[in-house]
Amino acid sequence: MPAPGGVKTACVTGGNGYIASALVKMLLEKGYAVKTTVRDPDDIEKNSHLKRLQALGHLEVLRADLDEEGSFDEAVAGCHYAFLVAAPVNLASENPEEELIGPAVRGTLNVMRSCAKAGTVKRVILTSSAAAVVPSRPPPFDGALVLDEETWPDIEYLVTHKPVTWGYCVSKVLLEKAACRFALEHGISLVTICPAVTVGSAPATKVKISVPASLSLLSGDEAALGVLRGAEALFGAVPMVDVDDLCRAEIFVAEKEASSGRYICCGLNTTVVKLARFLAHKYPQYNVQTNLSGELLEKPRVCLSSAKLVKEGFHFKYKTLDNMYDDVVEYGKALGILF
């Protein structure tokens, strides 16, 4: 079904994912016609939120798979913007090269090829991760290290020493670099967003990684808390961004003609200990443990900086834990993570 004449059309890959579902909703609310992709449009459980979002505007749900060459051709055909959000995520993979890194690069290039074929895509917005900005070695203790868009992990170090989630970091770096090379060769305008740990509510009813992690101190889920601990060990801080700010940033860099290169999207830098104290105070009914064992930081050792994004005119709405966690408990209850 074609979009109404004169309406801007955007493709969002992976529409049943957490970030993508929020982005689809925001684009529809801004008057865009949206085409989004899922692996199985008939999976009612995973896609029910997309059915509800169709009430907001023109939304097509199409089948596509990152592993299938050409399967995104229909989704990006006629689109002004393509938001590449879908990517394999498996932090616990025992064979990251085969299960994560290779599929991430191939899948990204698969969608990029469809964008090149379409001939209508004005800009591709690639959602990478702050994991592609992480320092390869443990940061210094003085808290003075600022990570910006020029920061890249040392791939050789990660592959050799295999720190926590090394495969995920490598996959994000390599898919970014592959997308940049392809864009350069084919004259495509590409902008990359590197979001921090993302929090807040979204339309998606099935979530992985960041939402359970952000709620782990409330839920008591030790495995999910391990993700937060891992982020702190990796970065020297727990960098966070609200999903609403992230989606606004994605649309901002899509629409702003002068946008180019990478953009870190981070509303604040905190620590597991600070987060535990905040949540214990805000939600006393959950008996949050503040005496946490293990090596944890009192204050961030690094600052993941969004100065580039802000300098170009973007304004973060959510810059404190208090407003980031405003609606997250209700969302956690709706997802069955909290009771």
Side-chain angles (χ1 to χ4, degrees):
M1 191 197 308
V7 174
K8 278 187 181 175
T9 304
C11 173
V12 179
T13 66
N16 49 24
Y18 169 57
I19 293 169
S21 72
L23 182 57
V24 167
K25 181 174 184 280
M26 191 173 285
L27 286 163
L28 290 170
E29 288 171 342
K30 284 178 69 73
Y32 278 81
V34 180
K35 295 162 87 175
T36 193
T37 65
V38 295
R39 262 191 260 180
D40 181 7
D42 297 324
D43 188 333
I44 305 301
E45 194 183 359
K46 280 188 179 176
N47 303 324
S48 58
H49 64 283
L50 294 173
K51 198 80 178 159
R52 290 192 293 274
L53 289 177
Q54 285 176 326
L56 296 177
H58 186 94
L59 172 61
E60 283 183 78
V61 182
L62 301 164
R63 185 196 169 281
D65 192 316
L66 290 170
D67 291 331
E68 282 182 35
E69 181 73 35
S71 69
F72 288 85
D73 288 0
E74 186 184 353
V76 297
C79 289
H80 298 88
Y81 301 114
F83 294 88
L84 277 57
V85 188
V89 179
N90 183 358
L91 300 186
S93 172
E94 290 182 13
N95 187 355
E97 285 98 337
E98 293 291 320
E99 297 171 6
L100 191 58
I101 298 166
V105 173
R106 288 194 301 272
T108 300
L109 290 176
N110 185 10
V111 188
M112 292 291 289
R113 278 190 283 272
S114 293
C115 291
K117 274 188 223 169
T120 57
V121 178
K122 187 178 171 187
R123 175 164 286 163
V124 173
I125 304 87
L126 174 66
T127 303
S128 179
S129 167
V133 185
V134 71
S136 299
R137 294 161 181 79
F141 282 89
D142 58 12
L145 182 65
V146 174
L147 305 181
D148 63 17
E149 288 77 10
E150 300 302 311
T151 311
W152 291 91
D154 179 338
I155 296 288
E156 198 176 318
Y157 177 88
L158 291 173
V159 172
T160 304
H161 291 84
K162 297 182 169 42
V164 181
T165 68
W166 71 273
Y168 182 70
C169 297
V170 172
S171 77
K172 292 301 182 186
V173 171
L174 294 186
L175 73 80
E176 269 198 55
K177 295 199 169 182
C180 283
R181 281 194 300 272
F182 186 94
L184 212 57
E185 288 165 10
H186 293 82
I188 293 172
S189 172
L190 173 74
V191 177
T192 302
I193 289 272
C194 297
V197 176
T198 310
V199 301
S201 64
T205 54
K206 297 283 177 187
V207 295
K208 301 175 187 173
I209 317 296
S210 70
V211 175
S214 68
L215 293 171
S216 60
L217 287 157
L218 298 169
S219 68
D221 182 337
E222 285 297 326
L225 178 56
V227 174
L228 278 190
R229 286 175 175 270
E232 184 175 286
L234 203 62
F235 286 100
V238 179
M240 300 182 101
V241 66
D242 190 278
V243 69
D244 182 82
D245 274 341
L246 172 55
C247 293
R248 287 175 49 251
E250 297 246 7
I251 297 168
F252 177 84
V253 298
E255 294 178 339
K256 190 175 173 70
E257 222 164 293
S259 297
S260 65
R262 315 170 89 196
Y263 291 86
I264 291 171
C265 193
C266 176
L268 68 85
N269 294 275
T270 188
T271 65
V272 174
V273 168
K274 284 189 173 187
L275 185 56
R277 288 175 189 153
F278 160 75
L279 292 172
H281 177 73
K282 188 171 173 79
Y283 304 107
Q285 69 271 34
Y286 282 98
N287 299 314
V288 175
Q289 294 300 309
T290 53
N291 296 323
L292 296 163
S293 61
E295 291 182 25
L296 291 169
L297 304 175
E298 269 295 325
K299 61 179 186 178
R301 287 188 198 168
V302 303
C303 170
L304 192 67
S305 173
S306 288
K308 180 184 175 186
L309 194 56
V310 171
K311 191 178 177 185
E312 293 190 11
F314 182 77
H315 171 71
F316 282 90
K317 284 184 182 176
Y318 301 86
K319 293 186 277 191
T320 67
L321 287 171
D322 202 41
N323 60 13
M324 279 188 187
Y325 273 83
D326 215 18
D327 54 3
V328 79
V329 164
E330 289 310 308
Y331 186 49
K333 287 177 180 175
L335 296 173
I337 295 171
L338 298 176
F339 300 95

